Amino acid sequence: MRLFSMYRWVRERHMIGIRGRNFLEAPWAGGVVLLGCVIVAMLLANLPGTSLYYRHLLETDLSLMVHSPDGLIDWVFPRGMTVEKLINDGLMVIFFFAVGLEIKREIVCGQLSSARQAILPVLAAAGGMLAPAIIFLFFNHGTIAANGWGIPTATDIAFAIGILSMLGDRVPVSLKIFLTALAIADDLGAILVIALFYGGQVQISCLLAALVIMLAVYFMKEMGEKRMLFYLVPAVVIWGLFYYSGVHSAISGVAMAMLIPMTPRYSKEYFAHKMRHLKELMLAARTSGDDFPNEHHRFYMRRMRLLAADSVGMSYRLEHSLAPYVTFLVMPIFALANAGVEITSPEYLNIFHYSSEIGSIGMGIFFGLVVGKPLGIFLASWGAVKSGLAVMPEGATWRLLLAVACLGGIGFTMSLFVDALDTEPDLIDRGKIAILMGSTAAAVLGSLLILVFSKKRK
């Protein structure tokens, strides 16, 4: 009986491990975790026993201060660093680095690698950024909120692809690829918007120093350097220089991602020859009975593992290694820090409030995401196909493309990031509420339209 109980306990633990791995590997898992973190952040920001501690934790100063003997502060690094700023300016660099690796892969050998493949998602992404910006400025032109036009221009790839995955085979694979490529092109556009329009006063000396280091890394890459340490150490230095340069430090992640080599250290021929040699040595290793793998076997297997790793480009290895950390650590922490809005009055939830002085950041973001995004994506796609510049995704219909375009209105991560760059705290909180409402409405609308317009496919 005791042996049976132990067997059942081990089996249950094994099944829990399998379910856990299956969940982490599911395309929709990241969206589910993000949604849970949004709910937790809203509770922490509004429950009487936690709201004060939540805000106090985010505002905790993390700067290192060195005092002189007379008590004055001589040196502070990093200047103005708080928990919230560490997340937005430090931890999110990893997110932007991963996004940069993904963009580079798509441009070099993916859906954006040729003009024929790239034209439709790129034009759709451009339309999906232009239309929301126009709608936002329609509500906020000439007001203090006008600078927030970049907030509704972004698409959250984790939520959008997650919803498509949960809808299963109701959407053609070609449209899933289209939305993925569109979101990646959209990310590139959002990065350019942040770099050009949401930086502070530029410190030329810091920026030039960063550019010199990046140039040195580029030449090092061209000379064939493939060791990871020689890229990651300069990346940290470049982040610090960007932090003080006035250009948002998250952009340093994208800049360094573009310099990571994609070519492997070893060629296919060398890999095959070396692997065959190691295999022969391992099979010839001494054994005594059924002792595989013994110490000799493990030695050769470790050599094989290192050989296989170095036969894959550094860019691919980093993208694969960082993906689970970005999805299940970086983005959830960002959501916990930025999605919590303290609702001090019912007026905060009235996103349709308008004032001649501050405009209506709520209506600009909400209608920009729910109306502007799908309208811009659909019209740009329609124009590209009808003009002969691009072809319709295989198996797609215009109704289905419109439904998928609605999912492009889920702005969450990048929209919250741009919103956090605003200088008016009250507008930042109102913007967060509108982003959450607009993204939810876009997700529901897109899902319903897909269910209405599609048929289950084999």
Side-chain angles (χ1 to χ4, degrees):
M1 181 64 71
R2 182 178 298 176
L3 185 63
F4 176 75
S5 300
M6 184 179 295
Y7 167 78
R8 188 171 60 182
W9 182 86
V10 170
R11 181 175 174 79
E12 287 174 356
R13 301 285 79 73
H14 177 67
M15 292 304 296
I16 290 172
I18 292 175
R19 293 192 198 102
R21 285 196 298 273
N22 290 341
F23 172 77
L24 293 178
E25 293 169 0
W28 45 264
V32 172
V33 173
L34 271 182
L35 183 60
C37 289
V38 171
I39 295 171
V40 171
M42 291 297 291
L43 291 174
L44 290 174
N46 291 280
L47 290 176
T50 60
S51 58
L52 184 63
Y53 296 104
Y54 173 75
R55 183 49 51 190
H56 179 70
L57 174 63
L58 293 177
E59 294 172 355
T60 301
D61 190 7
L62 296 178
S63 299
L64 177 64
M65 301 180 183
V66 178
H67 294 267
S68 60
D70 56 6
L72 298 175
I73 297 175
D74 290 330
W75 185 71
V76 180
F77 182 83
R79 186 175 58 246
M81 182 63 72
T82 62
V83 171
E84 185 174 17
K85 202 166 181 61
L86 177 65
I87 293 169
N88 293 346
D89 287 42
L91 197 62
M92 283 299 283
V93 173
I94 302 173
F95 167 79
F96 279 91
F97 182 74
V99 168
L101 292 174
E102 191 172 11
I103 291 171
K104 182 180 179 181
R105 172 174 52 79
E106 290 296 324
I107 290 174
V108 173
C109 57
Q111 292 300 313
L112 307 179
S113 59
S114 68
R116 187 69 172 168
Q117 288 178 300
I119 191 69
L120 184 61
V122 168
L123 288 178
M129 296 185 74
L130 183 62
I134 292 172
I135 289 177
F136 185 93
L137 290 174
F138 173 79
F139 289 105
N140 297 283
H141 177 68
T143 69
I144 62 173
N147 192 47
W149 59 268
I151 299 171
T153 61
T155 294
D156 190 289
I157 190 170
F159 273 124
I161 301 302
I163 289 174
L164 276 186
S165 300
M166 286 190 286
L167 290 169
D169 53 6
R170 290 182 176 274
V171 180
V173 174
S174 61
L175 273 183
K176 294 180 182 179
I177 295 172
F178 165 75
L179 183 61
T180 304
L182 182 150
I184 291 169
D186 194 286
D187 282 343
L188 179 59
I191 289 164
L192 292 174
V193 167
I194 293 168
L196 297 175
F197 300 103
Y198 289 93
Q201 186 177 357
V202 177
Q203 300 292 329
I204 298 297
S205 58
C206 291
L207 194 58
L208 284 176
L211 292 176
V212 168
I213 296 175
M214 289 169 61
L215 194 61
V217 172
Y218 172 77
F219 282 118
M220 182 177 66
K221 184 189 78 167
E222 291 299 304
M223 291 172 64
E225 180 57 60
K226 298 292 193 301
R227 288 171 290 185
M228 194 174 296
L229 187 65
F230 286 82
Y231 293 89
L232 297 186
V233 171
V236 176
V237 178
I238 290 169
W239 170 83
L241 291 169
F242 266 77
Y243 182 80
Y244 284 104
S245 71
V247 178
H248 199 281
S249 55
I251 304 301
S252 66
V254 181
M256 278 305 298
M258 297 300 164
L259 296 175
I260 300 296
M262 297 186 73
T263 54
R265 186 174 182 180
Y266 302 130
S267 67
K268 181 176 70 173
E269 292 76 15
Y270 180 85
F271 169 77
H273 168 74
K274 196 71 175 177
M275 187 64 77
R276 190 162 49 245
H277 178 63
L278 289 171
K279 177 185 174 183
E280 291 171 357
L281 290 174
M282 186 188 73
L283 293 176
R286 289 179 302 171
T287 58
S288 58
D290 190 18
D291 64 344
F292 177 83
N294 60 28
E295 183 179 349
H296 299 287
H297 297 142
R298 289 195 295 272
F299 171 77
Y300 292 118
M301 290 166 75
R302 283 194 297 269
R303 294 282 300 275
M304 288 178 181
R305 180 175 60 83
L306 292 174
L307 176 67
D310 284 336
S311 299
V312 177
M314 189 192 304
S315 180
Y316 296 107
R317 281 186 283 143
L318 282 172
E319 184 182 348
H320 179 73
S321 301
L322 288 175
Y325 294 101
V326 170
T327 303
F328 298 107
L329 185 64
V330 175
M331 292 173 67
I333 291 175
F334 173 79
L336 285 171
N338 289 273
V341 184
E342 187 177 0
I343 310 298
T344 54
S345 67
E347 182 190 346
Y348 259 61
L349 298 175
N350 181 16
I351 60 173
F352 302 109
H353 174 75
Y354 180 83
S355 165
S356 58
E357 181 183 352
I358 66 171
S360 178
I361 191 169
M363 282 198 288
I365 293 174
F366 183 86
F367 289 114
L369 292 173
V370 179
V371 178
K373 265 290 185 182
L375 188 65
I377 292 170
F378 182 82
L379 290 179
S381 302
W382 184 85
V385 172
K386 292 300 181 182
S387 65
L389 287 173
V391 294
M392 191 73 166
E394 185 180 353
T397 64
W398 286 115
R399 294 195 302 176
L400 259 183
L401 192 142
L402 176 62
V404 169
C406 289
L407 296 181
I410 306 173
F412 191 72
T413 305
M414 201 69 83
S415 293
L416 284 175
F417 188 84
V418 177
D419 181 65
L421 301 178
D422 207 313
T423 55
E424 296 289 336
D426 185 54
L427 292 183
I428 290 175
D429 288 343
R430 291 177 184 274
K432 288 179 181 178
I433 292 293
I435 291 167
L436 296 176
M437 289 186 173
S439 297
T440 302
V444 172
L445 178 63
S447 301
L448 288 176
L449 289 179
I450 288 173
L451 291 174
V452 171
F453 294 153
S454 67
K455 295 179 180 179
K456 285 203 93 177
R457 303 161 186 271
K458 290 186 180 180

